[in-house]
Amino acid sequence: MESSFNELRCKEVINVVDGKSLGRITDIIFDVKCGKILGLVVPPVNRSFISFLKGGNDIFIPYQNICKFGADVILVEMYLNAPFQAKPGNRNEHCDKRQEISF
C-alpha cells in the first residue's frame, strides 16, 4: 500500500485499547539512512490552546504499535497510562526492524 503524508494526516488515529480517538497525525518519524518508518506523531490527548502554543508533549506511536491502516482511520495499540511511553531511540538499531518505504 502506498500513501502520501497528506492522505495519512487526514485519517483519524484510534486507540484499540480504549476505543478513543488520539487525533490526527502531525508528523512521521523515519530513518533517512534506512528509509524506514519509525513511527507516527499525534498531539497530546488533552491538548489545550496554551499547551499548543508551548509545543506540549506529543505522543509518539512506534510503527510496531500500528494495527491497521484503514480507508478513514488508523488503528493503533497504545497503553497511554503506562509508566513508560515509547520514544524514538537510537535509530540505527531499528534499521532492520521497520517496514521499508519508497519515495
XYZ file of all heavy atoms in Angstrom:
814
model
N 0.830 -1.172 0.000
C 0.000 0.000 0.000
C 0.880 1.243 0.000
O 1.856 1.318 0.733
C -0.887 0.003 1.251
C -1.720 1.240 1.399
S -2.698 1.213 2.907
C -2.131 2.722 3.644
N 0.540 2.198 -0.821
C 1.249 3.466 -0.848
C 0.304 4.570 -0.410
O -0.885 4.533 -0.706
C 1.763 3.760 -2.249
C 2.839 2.796 -2.702
C 3.345 3.129 -4.088
O 2.954 4.187 -4.643
O 4.122 2.343 -4.617
N 0.852 5.529 0.315
C 0.041 6.637 0.799
C 0.950 7.833 1.013
O 2.092 7.684 1.440
C -0.649 6.254 2.104
O -1.540 7.246 2.502
N 0.431 9.008 0.728
C 1.208 10.225 0.962
C 0.947 10.718 2.384
O -0.025 10.318 3.033
C 0.813 11.306 -0.049
O -0.480 11.781 0.225
N 1.817 11.616 2.849
C 1.629 12.204 4.175
C 0.306 12.956 4.230
O -0.400 12.912 5.224
C 2.799 13.122 4.535
C 2.605 13.833 5.840
C 2.650 13.140 7.042
C 2.357 15.194 5.890
C 2.458 13.777 8.257
C 2.173 15.850 7.089
C 2.228 15.139 8.273
N -0.038 13.661 3.151
C -1.305 14.406 3.125
C -2.502 13.482 3.281
O -3.478 13.840 3.931
C -1.429 15.221 1.838
C -0.583 16.474 1.873
O -0.306 17.011 2.932
N -0.164 16.928 0.713
N -2.438 12.286 2.698
C -3.528 11.322 2.861
C -3.574 10.788 4.287
O -4.642 10.649 4.872
C -3.369 10.164 1.877
C -3.563 10.556 0.436
C -3.163 9.464 -0.538
O -2.374 8.577 -0.176
O -3.646 9.523 -1.673
N -2.406 10.509 4.862
C -2.360 9.967 6.223
C -2.820 10.974 7.255
O -3.515 10.623 8.208
C -0.947 9.492 6.561
C -0.469 8.233 5.870
C 0.969 7.928 6.275
C -1.365 7.060 6.179
N -2.452 12.230 7.096
C -2.812 13.217 8.127
C -4.301 13.544 8.141
O -4.788 14.148 9.088
C -1.980 14.479 8.008
C -2.315 15.327 6.835
C -1.371 16.493 6.758
N -1.791 17.338 5.647
C -1.803 18.639 5.683
N -1.399 19.262 6.764
N -2.189 19.323 4.648
N -5.030 13.133 7.107
C -6.480 13.323 7.084
C -7.213 12.217 7.840
O -8.394 12.329 8.131
C -6.987 13.362 5.645
S -6.427 14.827 4.763
N -6.496 11.130 8.160
C -7.125 9.994 8.838
C -7.057 10.168 10.348
O -6.072 10.647 10.896
C -6.436 8.694 8.441
C -6.581 8.397 6.964
C -5.904 7.110 6.590
C -6.058 6.891 5.098
N -5.615 5.568 4.707
N -8.111 9.759 11.009
C -8.171 9.813 12.462
C -7.430 8.597 13.038
O -7.539 7.493 12.518
C -9.627 9.802 12.910
C -9.814 10.099 14.352
C -11.277 10.290 14.704
O -12.147 10.074 13.855
O -11.529 10.659 15.860
N -6.673 8.807 14.107
C -5.945 7.729 14.773
C -6.787 7.262 15.961
O -7.127 8.051 16.839
C -4.547 8.197 15.236
C -3.819 7.068 15.941
C -3.738 8.712 14.056
N -7.137 5.975 15.981
C -7.971 5.389 17.023
C -7.160 4.367 17.798
O -6.505 3.497 17.212
C -9.224 4.689 16.431
C -10.044 5.647 15.568
C -10.070 4.052 17.529
C -10.731 6.744 16.331
N -7.216 4.457 19.133
C -6.537 3.512 20.006
C -7.474 2.319 20.254
O -8.550 2.487 20.831
C -6.169 4.190 21.326
C -5.285 3.346 22.197
O -5.002 2.195 21.898
N -4.844 3.925 23.300
N -7.064 1.118 19.840
C -7.921 -0.060 20.001
C -7.998 -0.517 21.452
O -8.882 -1.285 21.811
C -7.479 -1.239 19.096
C -7.574 -0.863 17.634
C -6.075 -1.706 19.443
N -7.106 -0.042 22.316
C -7.115 -0.428 23.732
C -8.355 0.115 24.426
O -9.020 -0.589 25.170
C -5.823 0.050 24.439
C -5.897 -0.190 25.929
C -4.606 -0.632 23.845
N -8.676 1.402 24.168
C -9.834 2.011 24.834
C -10.861 2.576 23.855
O -11.880 3.110 24.270
C -9.390 3.098 25.805
C -8.570 4.194 25.142
O -8.490 4.235 23.897
O -8.002 5.023 25.883
N -10.612 2.482 22.558
C -11.554 2.957 21.552
C -11.590 4.461 21.374
O -12.420 4.981 20.644
N -10.676 5.187 22.020
C -10.684 6.641 21.951
C -9.866 7.146 20.763
O -8.895 6.523 20.341
C -10.129 7.248 23.239
C -11.016 7.004 24.435
C -10.465 7.674 25.664
C -11.380 7.406 26.860
N -10.847 7.997 28.082
N -10.270 8.307 20.294
C -9.539 8.973 19.222
C -8.310 9.664 19.807
O -8.390 10.332 20.841
C -10.438 10.003 18.548
O -9.678 10.779 17.643
N -7.172 9.505 19.143
C -5.953 10.205 19.550
C -5.747 11.465 18.726
O -4.828 12.230 18.986
C -4.738 9.287 19.395
C -4.742 8.023 20.255
C -3.496 7.195 19.987
C -4.844 8.368 21.725
N -6.576 11.664 17.736
C -6.455 12.837 16.879
C -5.954 12.462 15.501
O -6.160 11.352 15.034
N -5.289 13.394 14.876
C -4.768 13.182 13.527
C -3.251 13.337 13.545
O -2.692 14.050 14.368
C -5.392 14.170 12.562
C -6.913 14.024 12.523
C -7.533 14.794 11.386
N -8.976 14.818 11.483
C -9.786 13.829 11.111
N -9.282 12.717 10.627
N -11.098 13.940 11.227
N -2.601 12.665 12.633
C -1.140 12.657 12.559
C -0.616 14.064 12.287
O -1.128 14.763 11.413
C -0.671 11.706 11.442
C -1.094 10.278 11.752
C 0.835 11.794 11.250
C -0.850 9.322 10.616
N 0.396 14.461 13.057
C 1.047 15.748 12.816
C 2.436 15.574 12.215
O 2.976 16.512 11.639
C 1.168 16.571 14.111
O 1.889 15.812 15.082
C -0.201 16.951 14.644
N 3.008 14.366 12.353
C 4.353 14.137 11.833
C 4.602 12.646 11.673
O 3.934 11.828 12.311
C 5.391 14.733 12.786
C 6.711 15.081 12.114
O 6.878 14.774 10.903
O 7.574 15.662 12.776
N 5.563 12.316 10.832
C 6.021 10.936 10.654
C 7.523 10.940 10.896
O 8.237 11.782 10.345
C 5.716 10.403 9.243
C 4.212 10.349 9.004
C 6.341 9.027 9.031
C 3.823 9.945 7.603
N 7.994 10.027 11.728
C 9.420 9.918 12.016
C 9.963 8.726 11.231
O 9.425 7.624 11.318
C 9.679 9.691 13.522
C 8.959 10.749 14.365
C 11.167 9.654 13.814
C 9.409 12.164 14.111
N 11.016 8.961 10.454
C 11.624 7.858 9.719
C 13.133 8.004 9.724
O 13.674 9.073 9.950
C 11.066 7.754 8.292
C 11.371 8.928 7.422
C 12.452 8.904 6.559
C 10.576 10.056 7.441
C 12.737 9.983 5.745
C 10.836 11.138 6.633
C 11.930 11.107 5.782
N 13.796 6.891 9.496
C 15.248 6.840 9.480
C 15.711 7.118 8.053
O 15.419 6.330 7.153
C 15.729 5.472 9.965
C 17.220 5.432 10.174
O 17.961 6.004 9.348
O 17.652 4.817 11.161
N 16.420 8.214 7.844
C 16.850 8.579 6.498
C 17.930 7.643 5.965
O 18.055 7.470 4.758
C 17.322 10.050 6.416
C 16.175 11.000 6.649
C 18.448 10.325 7.384
N 18.706 7.029 6.852
C 19.742 6.093 6.403
C 19.142 4.817 5.842
O 19.643 4.260 4.884
C 20.691 5.756 7.541
C 21.558 6.910 7.966
C 22.504 6.506 9.069
C 23.341 7.686 9.502
N 24.241 7.331 10.596
N 18.075 4.353 6.472
C 17.453 3.092 6.078
C 16.207 3.290 5.221
O 15.787 2.374 4.533
C 17.049 2.284 7.305
S 18.395 1.912 8.411
N 15.605 4.465 5.304
C 14.369 4.719 4.579
C 13.193 3.960 5.162
O 12.297 3.544 4.452
N 13.191 3.794 6.479
C 12.124 3.040 7.145
C 11.401 3.906 8.157
O 12.007 4.730 8.833
C 12.708 1.814 7.836
C 13.332 0.857 6.842
C 13.911 -0.356 7.501
C 14.559 -1.236 6.437
N 15.063 -2.453 7.004
N 10.095 3.698 8.247
C 9.282 4.449 9.202
C 9.558 3.952 10.616
O 9.543 2.753 10.862
C 7.787 4.294 8.884
C 7.461 4.922 7.540
C 6.933 4.928 9.983
C 6.045 4.691 7.090
N 9.801 4.890 11.546
C 9.967 4.547 12.953
C 8.662 4.711 13.708
O 8.387 3.982 14.651
C 11.047 5.412 13.601
C 12.450 5.265 13.016
C 13.400 6.232 13.691
C 12.939 3.842 13.150
N 7.831 5.678 13.298
C 6.564 5.860 13.980
C 5.841 7.116 13.538
O 6.297 7.856 12.669
N 4.686 7.324 14.162
C 3.828 8.469 13.887
C 3.762 9.366 15.108
O 3.946 8.901 16.234
C 2.409 7.991 13.551
C 2.274 6.950 12.447
C 0.827 6.488 12.337
C 2.777 7.498 11.126
N 3.487 10.636 14.904
C 3.347 11.582 15.995
C 1.951 12.189 15.931
O 1.496 12.617 14.865
C 4.410 12.701 15.902
C 4.221 13.724 17.002
C 5.811 12.117 15.938
N 1.261 12.183 17.081
C -0.043 12.840 17.206
C 0.030 13.784 18.394
O 0.837 13.601 19.306
C -1.204 11.822 17.389
C -1.360 10.946 16.165
C -1.018 10.976 18.613
N -0.818 14.826 18.408
C -0.800 15.750 19.546
C -1.304 15.065 20.810
O -1.984 14.041 20.730
C -1.745 16.871 19.113
C -2.592 16.279 18.050
C -1.787 15.192 17.402
N -0.992 15.598 21.987
C -1.485 15.007 23.229
C -3.006 14.965 23.258
O -3.672 15.804 22.635
C -0.953 15.909 24.327
C -0.190 16.981 23.679
C -0.205 16.783 22.211
N -3.551 13.998 23.980
C -4.991 13.772 24.021
C -5.738 14.986 24.560
O -6.719 15.430 23.979
C -5.309 12.522 24.871
C -6.796 12.318 24.975
C -4.632 11.303 24.274
N -5.302 15.557 25.668
C -5.974 16.710 26.277
C -5.178 17.978 26.029
O -4.737 18.648 26.947
C -6.149 16.497 27.784
C -7.075 15.352 28.083
O -8.055 15.164 27.376
N -6.763 14.590 29.096
N -5.013 18.319 24.789
C -4.195 19.473 24.443
C -5.023 20.752 24.504
O -6.010 20.903 23.811
C -3.627 19.300 23.038
C -2.606 20.337 22.676
C -1.974 20.006 21.357
N -0.630 20.551 21.346
C 0.241 20.339 20.394
N -0.069 19.567 19.396
N 1.418 20.873 20.446
N -4.606 21.673 25.344
C -5.275 22.959 25.438
C -4.593 23.944 24.491
O -3.528 23.680 23.951
C -5.211 23.495 26.868
O -3.875 23.813 27.199
N -5.190 25.103 24.327
C -4.618 26.130 23.457
C -3.254 26.579 23.963
O -2.327 26.774 23.192
C -5.568 27.321 23.335
C -5.048 28.390 22.419
C -5.004 28.182 21.048
C -4.588 29.599 22.922
C -4.511 29.156 20.200
C -4.098 30.574 22.082
C -4.065 30.362 20.714
N -3.104 26.706 25.277
C -1.830 27.139 25.860
C -0.748 26.087 25.640
O 0.372 26.416 25.266
C -1.998 27.461 27.357
C -2.887 28.694 27.501
C -0.651 27.680 28.036
C -3.278 29.026 28.914
N -1.085 24.795 25.835
C -0.080 23.754 25.593
C 0.263 23.664 24.113
O 1.380 23.314 23.740
C -0.553 22.400 26.121
O -1.643 21.925 25.370
N -0.712 24.012 23.244
C -0.438 24.048 21.809
C 0.623 25.101 21.504
O 1.547 24.869 20.739
C -1.726 24.345 21.032
C -1.505 24.564 19.567
C -1.282 23.492 18.731
C -1.516 25.847 19.038
C -1.073 23.689 17.380
C -1.308 26.049 17.688
C -1.079 24.963 16.847
N 0.503 26.265 22.134
C 1.473 27.334 21.911
C 2.843 26.981 22.471
O 3.861 27.355 21.906
C 0.975 28.640 22.534
C -0.273 29.255 21.893
C -0.708 30.488 22.670
C -0.027 29.603 20.434
N 2.870 26.254 23.580
C 4.137 25.855 24.200
C 4.770 24.669 23.491
O 5.917 24.358 23.708
C 3.924 25.494 25.668
C 3.606 26.681 26.541
C 3.456 26.234 27.980
C 3.166 27.401 28.883
N 2.976 26.973 30.269
N 4.021 23.963 22.691
C 4.569 22.812 21.997
C 4.142 21.502 22.610
O 4.205 20.479 21.976
N 3.711 21.478 23.861
C 3.188 20.275 24.517
C 4.002 19.017 24.237
O 4.894 19.017 23.422
N 3.697 17.936 24.923
C 4.359 16.665 24.690
C 3.532 15.839 23.720
O 2.483 15.335 24.076
C 4.541 15.893 26.004
C 5.539 16.572 26.903
O 6.483 17.173 26.427
N 5.330 16.474 28.193
N 4.022 15.721 22.505
C 3.328 14.923 21.505
C 3.451 13.446 21.844
O 4.368 13.028 22.560
C 3.910 15.186 20.122
C 3.571 16.571 19.598
O 2.602 17.177 20.075
O 4.282 17.021 18.695
N 2.519 12.657 21.324
C 2.537 11.205 21.540
C 3.235 10.558 20.354
O 2.832 10.758 19.201
C 1.107 10.653 21.680
C 0.412 11.296 22.880
C 1.120 9.129 21.806
C -1.078 11.007 22.940
N 4.296 9.801 20.626
C 4.990 9.041 19.583
C 4.402 7.640 19.555
O 4.334 6.960 20.573
C 6.492 8.988 19.861
C 7.230 8.116 18.892
C 7.480 8.549 17.606
C 7.647 6.848 19.268
C 8.159 7.751 16.703
C 8.313 6.033 18.370
C 8.572 6.491 17.083
N 3.953 7.205 18.388
C 3.397 5.865 18.213
C 4.393 5.054 17.404
O 4.556 5.282 16.201
C 2.039 5.916 17.485
C 1.051 6.791 18.262
C 1.491 4.513 17.279
C -0.212 7.120 17.505
N 5.109 4.112 18.031
C 6.065 3.289 17.298
C 5.365 2.499 16.186
O 4.208 2.117 16.325
C 6.622 2.336 18.364
C 6.330 2.998 19.662
C 5.068 3.777 19.458
N 6.083 2.287 15.091
C 5.484 1.615 13.935
C 4.895 0.261 14.304
O 3.838 -0.118 13.806
C 6.517 1.466 12.810
C 5.883 0.966 11.549
C 5.222 1.840 10.696
C 5.919 -0.383 11.214
C 4.604 1.380 9.549
C 5.307 -0.845 10.077
C 4.651 0.045 9.233
O 4.044 -0.419 8.105
N 5.553 -0.472 15.205
C 5.060 -1.796 15.568
C 3.737 -1.739 16.334
O 3.067 -2.754 16.479
C 6.100 -2.618 16.345
C 6.472 -2.056 17.693
C 7.682 -1.156 17.647
O 8.073 -0.680 16.593
N 8.280 -0.913 18.801
N 3.332 -0.560 16.820
C 2.062 -0.413 17.524
C 0.899 -0.084 16.580
O -0.229 0.044 17.022
C 2.163 0.687 18.581
C 3.021 0.269 19.749
O 4.118 -0.224 19.553
N 2.551 0.472 20.945
N 1.177 0.062 15.295
C 0.123 0.327 14.321
C -0.492 -1.015 13.929
O 0.196 -1.919 13.483
C 0.668 1.056 13.088
C 1.277 2.394 13.499
C -0.444 1.248 12.047
C 2.033 3.094 12.398
N -1.808 -1.117 14.134
C -2.518 -2.366 13.829
C -2.991 -2.409 12.384
O -2.863 -3.439 11.722
C -3.731 -2.520 14.749
S -3.318 -2.547 16.498
N -3.552 -1.304 11.915
C -4.170 -1.321 10.591
C -4.307 0.091 10.044
O -4.680 1.007 10.758
C -5.561 -1.959 10.702
C -6.336 -2.089 9.441
C -5.889 -3.300 8.680
C -6.835 -3.538 7.503
N -6.370 -4.544 6.618
N -3.990 0.251 8.759
C -4.287 1.477 8.032
C -5.594 1.228 7.293
O -5.656 0.428 6.370
C -3.188 1.809 7.015
C -1.913 2.281 7.635
C -0.890 1.399 7.933
C -1.723 3.613 7.918
C 0.288 1.832 8.502
C -0.548 4.070 8.473
C 0.461 3.171 8.779
N -6.655 1.892 7.728
C -7.949 1.743 7.082
C -8.192 2.856 6.090
O -7.367 3.751 5.907
N -9.347 2.816 5.436
C -9.700 3.845 4.459
C -9.870 5.211 5.116
O -9.492 6.235 4.536
C -10.980 3.438 3.738
N -10.437 5.245 6.328
C -10.712 6.511 7.011
C -9.968 6.681 8.328
O -9.871 7.799 8.835
C -12.208 6.640 7.307
C -13.035 6.634 6.046
O -12.592 7.229 5.048
O -14.118 6.028 6.053
N -9.476 5.587 8.907
C -8.825 5.651 10.219
C -7.547 4.826 10.226
O -7.331 3.978 9.368
C -9.755 5.147 11.356
C -10.984 6.000 11.490
C -10.109 3.697 11.169
N -6.733 5.093 11.238
C -5.542 4.284 11.516
C -5.733 3.715 12.908
O -5.933 4.460 13.867
C -4.264 5.140 11.444
C -4.104 5.740 10.051
C -3.043 4.305 11.821
C -3.011 6.784 9.941
N -5.698 2.394 13.026
C -5.885 1.729 14.313
C -4.520 1.457 14.931
O -3.641 0.890 14.282
C -6.659 0.429 14.141
C -8.055 0.556 13.527
C -8.676 -0.823 13.351
C -8.938 1.435 14.386
N -4.354 1.870 16.195
C -3.094 1.663 16.902
C -3.384 1.042 18.264
O -4.493 1.143 18.789
C -2.315 2.988 17.078
C -1.973 3.597 15.732
C -3.055 3.975 17.945
N -2.382 0.417 18.842
C -2.493 -0.163 20.184
C -1.516 0.567 21.088
O -0.306 0.372 21.012
C -2.180 -1.651 20.152
C -2.346 -2.326 21.488
C -2.091 -3.822 21.422
O -1.597 -4.305 20.400
O -2.381 -4.488 22.414
N -2.056 1.449 21.951
C -1.229 2.251 22.844
C -1.780 2.189 24.257
O -2.980 2.356 24.466
C -1.207 3.715 22.383
C -0.532 3.954 21.055
S 1.230 3.645 21.061
C 1.809 4.952 22.124
N -0.911 1.956 25.222
C -1.270 1.995 26.642
C -0.762 3.319 27.179
O 0.361 3.413 27.658
C -0.678 0.788 27.372
C -1.275 -0.505 26.886
C -0.693 -1.214 25.844
C -2.449 -0.988 27.444
C -1.267 -2.387 25.379
C -3.030 -2.164 26.986
C -2.433 -2.858 25.955
O -3.012 -4.011 25.488
N -1.588 4.361 27.069
C -1.158 5.729 27.382
C -0.964 5.979 28.859
O -0.260 6.896 29.242
C -2.151 6.733 26.799
C -2.266 6.684 25.277
C -3.340 7.648 24.803
C -0.938 7.011 24.631
N -1.578 5.191 29.729
C -1.416 5.389 31.172
C -0.264 4.575 31.740
O -0.032 4.589 32.932
C -2.710 5.042 31.911
C -3.805 6.029 31.573
O -3.528 7.187 31.291
N -5.043 5.578 31.588
N 0.447 3.856 30.887
C 1.584 3.058 31.347
C 2.703 4.002 31.788
O 2.848 5.096 31.255
C 2.076 2.146 30.230
N 3.509 3.585 32.776
C 4.572 4.464 33.268
C 5.642 4.742 32.221
O 6.315 5.745 32.277
C 5.154 3.700 34.453
C 4.699 2.305 34.295
C 3.433 2.339 33.507
N 5.810 3.873 31.235
C 6.820 4.067 30.205
C 6.124 4.265 28.869
O 5.339 3.441 28.446
C 7.753 2.861 30.118
C 8.699 2.942 28.955
C 9.781 3.785 28.996
C 8.485 2.184 27.831
C 10.657 3.868 27.927
C 9.359 2.260 26.750
C 10.438 3.104 26.802
N 6.393 5.392 28.241
C 5.855 5.668 26.913
C 7.017 5.568 25.933
O 8.017 6.247 26.092
C 5.236 7.065 26.865
C 4.648 7.428 25.529
C 3.424 6.593 25.195
O 2.588 6.353 26.033
N 3.348 6.131 23.986
N 6.885 4.727 24.941
C 7.969 4.523 23.984
C 8.285 5.813 23.244
O 7.404 6.549 22.854
C 7.587 3.433 22.993
N 9.555 6.082 23.073
C 10.029 7.247 22.332
C 11.031 6.750 21.301
O 11.666 5.723 21.489
C 10.734 8.245 23.260
C 9.878 8.741 24.390
C 8.931 9.805 23.918
C 8.181 10.353 25.116
N 6.946 10.943 24.811
N 11.215 7.487 20.227
C 12.223 7.064 19.266
C 13.597 7.113 19.918
O 13.943 8.091 20.554
C 12.100 8.071 18.125
C 11.349 9.217 18.675
C 10.563 8.723 19.853
N 14.344 6.045 19.798
C 15.650 5.965 20.444
C 16.764 6.017 19.430
O 16.741 6.828 18.509
N 17.719 5.123 19.583
C 18.833 5.036 18.664
C 18.299 4.508 17.333
O 18.007 3.344 17.186
C 19.915 4.117 19.233
C 21.116 4.029 18.326
O 21.128 4.598 17.238
N 22.125 3.313 18.777
N 18.190 5.351 16.374
C 17.533 4.999 15.117
C 18.323 3.972 14.315
O 17.762 3.237 13.531
C 17.280 6.254 14.312
C 16.259 7.121 15.004
C 15.844 8.280 14.145
N 14.702 8.922 14.764
C 14.750 10.062 15.408
N 15.875 10.707 15.517
N 13.670 10.575 15.947
N 19.624 3.885 14.486
C 20.416 2.923 13.727
C 20.086 1.483 14.094
O 20.191 0.604 13.266
C 21.912 3.188 13.925
C 22.333 4.491 13.287
O 21.698 4.964 12.346
N 23.386 5.083 13.806
N 19.676 1.237 15.333
C 19.345 -0.124 15.741
C 18.013 -0.587 15.172
O 17.700 -1.752 15.198
C 19.342 -0.242 17.260
C 18.187 0.469 17.924
C 18.272 0.492 19.432
O 19.381 0.432 19.975
O 17.212 0.561 20.053
N 17.217 0.332 14.628
C 15.902 -0.003 14.113
C 15.912 -0.293 12.614
O 14.885 -0.617 12.059
C 14.918 1.135 14.387
C 14.770 1.432 15.843
N 14.180 0.559 16.713
C 15.163 2.491 16.581
C 14.195 1.070 17.929
N 14.797 2.240 17.877
N 17.045 -0.169 11.965
C 17.080 -0.257 10.506
C 16.581 -1.580 9.957
O 15.996 -1.621 8.894
C 18.498 -0.004 9.988
S 18.992 1.713 10.172
N 16.778 -2.661 10.680
C 16.355 -3.947 10.146
C 14.986 -4.367 10.683
O 14.508 -5.432 10.347
C 17.384 -5.026 10.488
C 17.619 -5.161 11.975
O 17.288 -4.225 12.722
O 18.159 -6.190 12.389
N 14.331 -3.549 11.493
C 13.092 -3.952 12.142
C 11.855 -3.230 11.613
O 10.756 -3.553 12.009
C 13.184 -3.686 13.649
C 14.260 -4.484 14.322
C 14.309 -4.179 15.794
C 15.431 -4.933 16.456
N 15.555 -4.591 17.865
N 11.983 -2.256 10.732
C 10.852 -1.469 10.283
C 10.545 -1.748 8.818
O 11.375 -2.190 8.062
C 11.123 0.024 10.445
C 11.445 0.432 11.857
C 10.198 0.339 12.723
N 10.404 0.930 14.007
C 10.827 0.277 15.073
N 11.085 -0.978 15.026
N 10.983 0.912 16.214
N 9.333 -1.432 8.432
C 8.921 -1.588 7.057
C 9.588 -0.548 6.193
O 9.692 0.610 6.559
C 7.406 -1.428 6.973
C 6.879 -1.541 5.575
C 5.381 -1.366 5.527
O 4.729 -1.306 6.558
N 4.845 -1.289 4.350
N 10.064 -0.976 5.034
C 10.698 -0.042 4.121
C 9.644 0.809 3.429
O 8.540 0.370 3.166
C 11.512 -0.794 3.082
C 12.692 -1.515 3.669
C 13.538 -2.184 2.613
O 13.469 -1.774 1.443
O 14.255 -3.110 2.965
N 10.013 2.028 3.142
C 9.143 2.894 2.361
C 9.946 3.409 1.174
O 11.160 3.489 1.225
C 8.607 4.080 3.185
C 9.759 4.916 3.754
C 7.690 3.642 4.271
C 9.328 6.198 4.382
N 9.269 3.692 0.101
C 9.962 4.224 -1.060
C 9.403 5.589 -1.391
O 8.234 5.861 -1.169
C 9.798 3.278 -2.246
O 8.437 3.094 -2.526
N 10.260 6.441 -1.895
C 9.852 7.797 -2.251
C 10.006 7.985 -3.732
O 10.843 7.499 -4.374
C 10.688 8.841 -1.512
C 10.451 8.815 -0.036
C 11.306 8.168 0.824
C 9.350 9.457 0.482
C 11.091 8.167 2.168
C 9.121 9.448 1.854
C 10.004 8.803 2.676
